[in-house]
Amino acid sequence: MIAGAGIAGLALAAGLQRTETATPYLLLEERPELGSAGGAITLWPNAVAALDEIGVGDDVRRVGRPVSAGKITTRRGRVLRSLDFEQSAAALGGPLVAVRRGDLIDILHAQIKPGSVLAGVPARGYGHDQDGVRVSTDADPIEAAALVGADGYRSEIARRLHPGLPEEYAGYPAWRGIADVGGLEPVQMWGKHREFGVVPLGGGASYWYATVRGPAGSAVDDELLHLRTAFSGWPDPVQPVLEATDPVTVTRNDVMDRALPRRWTDGPVVVIGDAAHAMRPHLGQGGCQALVDAAVLARLLRRADSPAAAFAAFESLRRGPAKRVVALSRAAGRVVNAPAGLHLVSALVPDAMMLKKLAKVGGTGAFPW
């Protein structure tokens, strides 16, 4: 049983489907239908390697757009760092790939067996004994041999593993959207307690993201108007991108620092993706780490004597690296939200050193196989 049919859950199912004697699985999805309101995602080479392991890497490359790590500027346009396509691809082991989340979901969904997703059926918790796992839902419980919690940041499975799992507001929300603007280059702009980034998607569209320090739960009726005001006076392409954005593509969520569960496994139960290691968005590794989790666990399940053995091996292999990425993502958030003087100091780090650090996080060498 896989709780959650988002990126992590679908990728795991697709990975399990790779052999003729695929491990039987069923996905429970809280939403009434599959889809994504997340706009787009930038897949670093570690995630592309994971998609290759799952068997869909070429499909994603075809619908995505290869991009570089891009440049970082101040809110006044001063370039702090500029990494061109060849430079970043050589250091990371390949280019980044920007793709709409909906396209990624569709590719993964197409790999799994028909009828394997129960939509509108959330996993509310579990109990287990020597005979297997009983998964609680809003209706009757469902029996399974094993359970994978891929149910995201708000994971009920993670909170069963770690009751009272602590979390803390990071001090700012994050917005994402898609603009009908093409021909842009990847750029990340830093200002006082504010950040705006743009990633080209191709096809006359671009993906953007933003953070602005403010109180939790401060959603407004017109998020685009709020952002146009917050980023007034910033250089192009900020205002043109916001003006060319359909409000239906815009999402907003409070950025939270949630602790890692004390344990990821409980015999025939395991958590992966955001359920295991929710992280800030600044290194672009949330979805990437979920894909790495899914590819690694799928291989372990195909080879292990039992799900519990695969789950234990998975936690041993993935907990340390994921914990480091969580810490680095939090540190990156602190740098972005630091005073402008620190932004200038960060530019003194040589490009080669920066790329070496990024390669350890998101390069092909960061994928285990």
Side-chain angles (χ1 to χ4, degrees):
M1 189 74 64
I2 302 171
I7 289 175
L10 288 172
L12 174 60
L16 294 176
Q17 197 67 39
R18 291 207 69 185
T19 60
E20 292 182 3
T21 55
T23 302
Y25 58 84
L26 185 66
L27 294 100
L28 304 183
E29 173 53 48
E30 182 172 10
R31 296 168 298 174
E33 59 184 19
L34 292 185
S36 174
I41 182 172
T42 303
L43 300 169
W44 286 66
N46 62 334
V48 178
L51 290 166
D52 285 334
E53 167 76 14
I54 292 166
V56 297
D58 288 340
D59 295 330
V60 173
R61 290 183 184 92
R62 277 192 288 271
V63 301
R65 171 170 174 163
V67 297
S68 73
K71 65 181 178 181
I72 300 173
T73 75
T74 69
R75 68 170 300 270
R76 302 191 184 281
R78 177 176 176 178
V79 176
L80 299 174
R81 189 175 307 280
S82 182
L83 301 170
D84 64 29
F85 187 89
E86 290 77 14
Q87 183 184 20
S88 61
L92 300 174
L96 287 67
V97 178
V99 62
R100 293 175 185 262
R101 282 180 178 261
D103 289 341
L104 177 58
I105 291 291
D106 288 345
I107 288 170
L108 294 171
H109 189 213
Q111 300 301 308
I112 69 176
K113 60 186 180 183
S116 59
V117 178
L118 294 183
V121 182
R124 298 301 188 192
Y126 71 88
H128 70 80
D129 55 26
Q130 66 274 14
D131 297 322
V133 182
R134 172 171 289 193
V135 183
S136 303
T137 71
D138 289 341
D140 294 332
I142 302 175
E143 304 286 344
L147 171 65
V148 178
D151 47 343
Y153 164 75
R154 296 289 181 187
S155 171
E156 298 278 1
I157 310 306
R159 284 165 172 76
R160 174 70 171 78
L161 286 166
H162 185 157
L165 189 61
E167 61 181 44
E168 182 180 7
Y169 180 51
Y172 49 90
W175 290 263
R176 299 173 178 85
I178 294 180
D180 293 325
V181 176
L184 302 179
E185 295 298 322
V187 63
Q188 185 178 6
M189 302 179 185
W190 294 351
K192 185 178 181 180
H193 302 314
R194 298 175 192 189
E195 170 192 23
F196 197 94
V198 179
V199 180
L201 286 173
S206 297
Y207 164 60
W208 59 264
Y209 55 90
T211 62
V212 179
R213 183 166 290 278
S218 56
V220 297
D221 292 336
D222 191 334
E223 298 287 3
L224 282 172
L225 176 60
H226 172 71
L227 291 173
R228 284 196 293 268
T229 302
F231 290 98
S232 176
W234 283 49
D236 286 347
V238 176
Q239 293 298 330
V241 161
L242 291 173
E243 290 167 5
T245 298
D246 184 342
V248 75
T249 71
V250 178
T251 61
R252 176 200 181 280
N253 64 280
D254 290 337
V255 177
M256 307 294 292
D257 290 325
R258 197 208 69 187
L260 270 70
R262 284 191 294 263
R263 53 179 179 160
W264 287 4
T265 58
D266 180 13
V269 179
V270 70
V271 287
I272 67 173
D274 282 350
H277 45 67
M279 61 188 67
R280 295 194 194 185
H282 303 285
L283 290 180
Q285 280 294 308
C288 296
Q289 293 293 315
L291 287 168
V292 172
D293 284 355
V296 168
L297 183 55
R299 179 185 282 207
L300 292 171
L301 281 166
R302 294 195 302 264
R303 297 182 174 185
D305 294 332
S306 69
F311 295 169
F314 170 80
E315 180 168 14
S316 176
L317 186 64
R318 286 291 299 144
R319 187 180 182 92
K323 184 177 181 180
R324 287 192 291 274
V325 177
V326 169
L328 288 170
S329 297
R330 186 178 299 189
R334 293 194 182 107
V335 170
V336 169
N337 283 276
L342 187 56
H343 294 165
L344 298 177
V345 171
S346 71
L348 299 178
V349 178
D351 288 349
M353 183 180 297
M354 177 62 67
L355 284 168
K356 185 175 181 180
K357 290 181 179 296
L358 291 175
K360 291 181 178 179
V361 173
T364 53
F367 184 72
W369 299 298

